[in-house]
Amino acid sequence: MTAEERRATAGLRESFYERLDKAKFASNSSTAGPWGPQMQHAGPPSALLTMQMMNDHPREGFHPARVTFELLGQIPVAELTAETSVLYSTKRTDLLSGTLLCGDKPVAMARMWRYRSAPESLASVRKLGIRHRPLPFEDSVAPVEPLVLAYDDSVTPPVPLDMTNHTAGYMSAVEWRFASEKPFGRYGPGQVWARPRIPLVLDETDSPFGRLMTMADSCWSMGRRVEMPKHVAINTEITVHCHRLPEGDWLRLDGSTVTTPGGAGVSHSTMSDREDECAYVLQSMFIA
């Protein structure tokens, strides 16, 4: 199946967003998450605000080291405005800030620490930060298409259809390659190779960090340990620590979640390209 046929089958738009002016963006239907066609998945808006912060305040020779994206509620599939600023700046570091607004209402905000890039003479010390065997990339692993999230009772835990009945947005705008045949049905640590099928902003070239941020919010769903629908789990933020920019389109997500009665949930994940790991993702989870 060609890219054009895939888009037609999934009802995809050509991009997640279309730029209206320097700070305003129209949200396309492909930004919608699995909860319904009117509510965005946090991946595209976190990437949009992060990239707008960097575009508004470019600084050559600096590396995006840490980003925290705060969700202030539902982000509607609607026109968004990105406001950005520099909170702190030295010869070696920057602290950037950004807010996404829908009309006059703030729906998300972010802060980024940006550092002067480490010298090339620095020794490379890297080791996969996961305890389970990494999922190799094989071209023979077929993409998940069409994407189906609702299974019968043979899956533990079952995925309720009434909670995940929208797959025509973000879920189909990303190409997923799992080790198992049933995506998102695994209970416990999980792994997947994924890449966006469409660009973040129409007629604009995606950056490596933008692609990483588009996928970062999906990490917790790779390592789901919360029994649904017995409990509802919602992340209120995404924190990404990036020690190097990824290469290529494909990213591997290795995720797991820990929970404690009377406490909260925490998802911790590693993101890698086809060469090695490149970033770590932490997400705090509200569980009810």
Side-chain angles (χ1 to χ4, degrees):
M1 182 177 288
T2 66
E4 290 74 20
E5 290 171 333
R6 286 199 297 267
R7 289 195 185 99
T9 300
L12 295 183
R13 298 293 296 271
E14 292 182 304
S15 62
F16 290 110
Y17 301 99
E18 297 178 36
R19 185 183 292 276
L20 301 177
D21 61 27
K22 183 180 179 181
K24 292 184 179 181
F25 300 85
S27 303
N28 289 329
S29 58
S30 291
T31 62
W35 312 112
Q38 303 303 321
M39 177 180 173
Q40 293 196 37
H41 188 280
S46 64
L48 181 71
L49 183 55
T50 298
M51 298 318 300
Q52 188 72 1
M53 290 159 62
M54 298 178 69
N55 291 338
D56 285 350
H57 312 284
R59 199 167 184 188
E60 187 175 354
F62 273 62
H63 174 83
R66 192 224 70 189
V67 174
T68 296
F69 181 78
E70 312 280 7
L71 290 156
L72 305 180
Q74 295 185 6
I75 301 179
V77 179
E79 183 177 308
L80 299 176
T81 301
E83 297 181 350
T84 71
S85 64
V86 179
L87 297 181
Y88 176 78
S89 182
T90 71
K91 292 182 179 180
R92 298 179 177 88
T93 64
D94 286 334
L95 179 59
L96 308 182
S97 177
T99 302
L100 274 182
L101 300 100
C102 183
D104 296 329
K105 180 183 178 181
V107 292
M109 53 187 189
R111 288 194 175 186
M112 173 194 290
W113 275 106
R114 186 170 62 178
Y115 302 155
R116 183 176 296 279
S117 300
E120 293 297 326
S121 59
L122 179 69
S124 179
V125 180
R126 298 209 300 270
K127 185 178 181 180
L128 286 173
I130 54 176
R131 296 180 180 177
H132 47 286
R133 183 179 178 183
L135 176 67
F137 184 94
E138 297 179 2
D139 291 329
S140 60
V141 177
V144 178
E145 195 174 4
L147 182 64
V148 178
L149 299 182
Y151 305 126
D152 57 26
D153 292 336
S154 65
V155 176
T156 304
V159 181
L161 179 61
D162 60 343
M163 295 181 66
T164 56
N165 61 352
H166 184 71
T167 61
Y170 175 87
M171 306 305 296
S172 291
V174 172
E175 183 173 356
W176 310 91
R177 297 197 179 192
F178 289 80
S180 62
E181 294 181 357
K182 294 184 176 182
F184 302 102
R186 183 182 176 89
Y187 187 59
Q191 304 173 338
V192 68
W193 282 100
R195 66 176 177 181
R197 301 180 192 267
I198 57 178
L200 183 65
V201 180
L202 185 65
D203 296 329
E204 297 184 19
T205 301
D206 285 347
S207 70
F209 194 69
R211 288 193 294 272
L212 187 149
M213 289 301 300
T214 300
M215 299 306 310
D217 183 57
S218 297
C219 285
W220 84 268
S221 59
M222 297 305 107
R224 185 165 54 91
R225 298 181 66 92
V226 179
E227 297 182 52
M228 300 172 70
K230 181 178 180 181
H231 296 286
V232 175
I234 303 172
N235 66 296
T236 58
E237 55 84 31
I238 311 159
T239 298
V240 178
H241 292 263
C242 177
H243 69 83
R244 73 175 179 92
L245 296 177
E247 299 179 9
D249 294 340
W250 288 100
L251 287 166
R252 190 181 70 225
L253 284 56
D254 299 90
S256 186
T257 301
V258 294
T259 59
T260 301
V266 176
S267 170
H268 51 96
S269 309
T270 300
M271 298 185 73
S272 312
D273 58 19
R274 295 182 70 168
E275 179 65 25
D276 201 351
E277 51 84 17
C278 57
Y280 305 97
V281 182
L282 285 173
Q283 295 170 274
S284 58
M285 310 295 298
F286 167 75
I287 301 175

